Amino acid sequence: MGILEDKSNARLFYKYLSKVYDQINRFNWNEEMRAEALSWLEFGDDPTVLDVGCGTGFGTEGLLEHADDVHGLDQSVHQMEKAFEKFGKHDRVDFYRGDAERLPFRDDAFDVVWSSGSIEYWPNPVEGLRELRRVAKPGGQVLVVGPDYPNNPILQRVADAIMLFYDADEADRMFEAAGYEEYEHHIQQATPQSPRAITTVARVPGSDGTDDGSGSTAANAEPSAPDAE
């Protein structure tokens, strides 16, 4: 486990990175990459959307181009304070402080669940992916952006020491273990010199109202706006 996969370390890291995050993020994850990722989603009419690990709101900003009912969650209050400056706390977006591996929302609450630049900090990524699936409506979509595993052996050792990097094979393993059946991976890159991102778009399995073994109560969930616990 990398040093930043410890949640307390990650919170401390973002306490200071939040001051310059928007300036440096563009070199790894820019507006063109965000727009491309958004094009792979099907929003439909009046979608309810969740941004998990919303940070300063870069992904949230793109989601607002496609939906009016947008919710953002992050564990770092310092990151979210930057998002509050852009959108307000409960104006264009409803924000929640919380844990991706224990989302404070009921089952089947969102049409689209988005998470960019967050999975690499999750100590238990499969559990986090299960949570994204749980709060998404059957037939909805989950999109996850994470760092692609480098090819260079030296960079691999550095990556392993810092946080989660993974390739398509590992992404297959994680998504299958989390209960997804239909998904596709895309490699994105800001410039030829930039780190690669691996973006996975998954379809949430349909539900027949029976227990799928995940511990969810999807059959009894209300399909309207999400409620924080």
Side-chain angles (χ1 to χ4, degrees):
M1 178 181 291
I3 188 172
L4 292 181
E5 290 175 84
D6 179 281
K7 294 176 184 178
S8 61
N9 289 342
R11 284 193 295 270
L12 181 62
F13 175 70
Y14 273 109
K15 177 180 179 179
Y16 298 100
L17 184 64
S18 62
K19 303 177 188 300
V20 295
Y21 182 83
D22 285 341
Q23 286 71 43
I24 65 174
N25 185 51
R26 68 188 65 176
F27 298 106
N28 298 322
W29 176 244
N30 60 28
E31 292 181 1
E32 290 76 15
M33 296 167 72
R34 182 184 67 189
E36 183 179 39
L38 287 164
S39 74
W40 297 324
L41 294 172
E42 301 164 8
F43 287 93
D45 298 326
D46 300 320
T48 302
V49 177
L50 174 64
D51 185 358
V52 175
C54 61
T56 63
F58 182 75
T60 314
E61 185 177 16
L63 292 168
L64 284 167
E65 298 174 0
H66 299 268
D68 295 323
D69 190 2
V70 177
H71 303 255
L73 176 140
D74 202 279
Q75 71 159 343
S76 170
V77 67
H78 299 94
Q79 286 282 85
M80 285 197 295
E81 284 173 350
K82 300 297 183 182
F84 298 160
E85 293 173 5
K86 300 173 185 177
F87 311 114
K89 287 187 179 181
H90 296 286
D91 186 6
R92 298 184 66 196
V93 181
D94 286 324
F95 287 103
Y96 311 81
R97 187 177 183 185
D99 189 334
E101 296 170 2
R102 295 179 296 175
L103 293 174
F105 308 107
R106 64 172 179 264
D107 299 357
D108 302 356
F110 300 95
D111 298 288
V112 171
V113 178
W114 167 288
S115 183
S116 54
S118 181
I119 188 173
E120 57 264 39
Y121 302 107
W122 301 351
N124 301 293
V126 171
E127 185 59 34
L129 292 174
R130 286 196 187 105
E131 278 289 274
L132 303 191
R133 178 172 66 88
R134 178 183 67 78
V135 302
K137 296 177 183 178
Q141 288 177 291
V142 168
L143 183 145
V144 177
V145 183
D148 188 43
Y149 199 60
N151 294 321
N152 184 294
I154 296 176
L155 293 179
Q156 289 174 357
R157 289 196 291 272
V158 174
D160 291 340
I162 298 175
M163 58 190 182
L164 175 67
F165 285 71
Y166 57 95
D167 59 14
D169 289 340
E170 179 64 10
D172 286 347
R173 186 197 68 78
M174 293 191 298
F175 275 83
E176 289 172 6
Y180 296 89
E181 300 170 0
E182 180 184 347
Y183 51 83
E184 58 184 15
H185 310 304
H186 306 266
I187 298 300
Q188 296 183 278
Q189 194 171 20
T191 71
Q193 292 74 39
S194 301
R196 298 189 306 270
I198 180 167
T199 300
T200 302
V201 183
R203 182 75 62 181
V204 178
S207 173
D208 59 3
T210 60
D211 185 4
D212 64 1
S214 66
S216 71
T217 56
N220 298 319
E222 298 178 13
S224 56
D227 293 332
E229 293 178 347

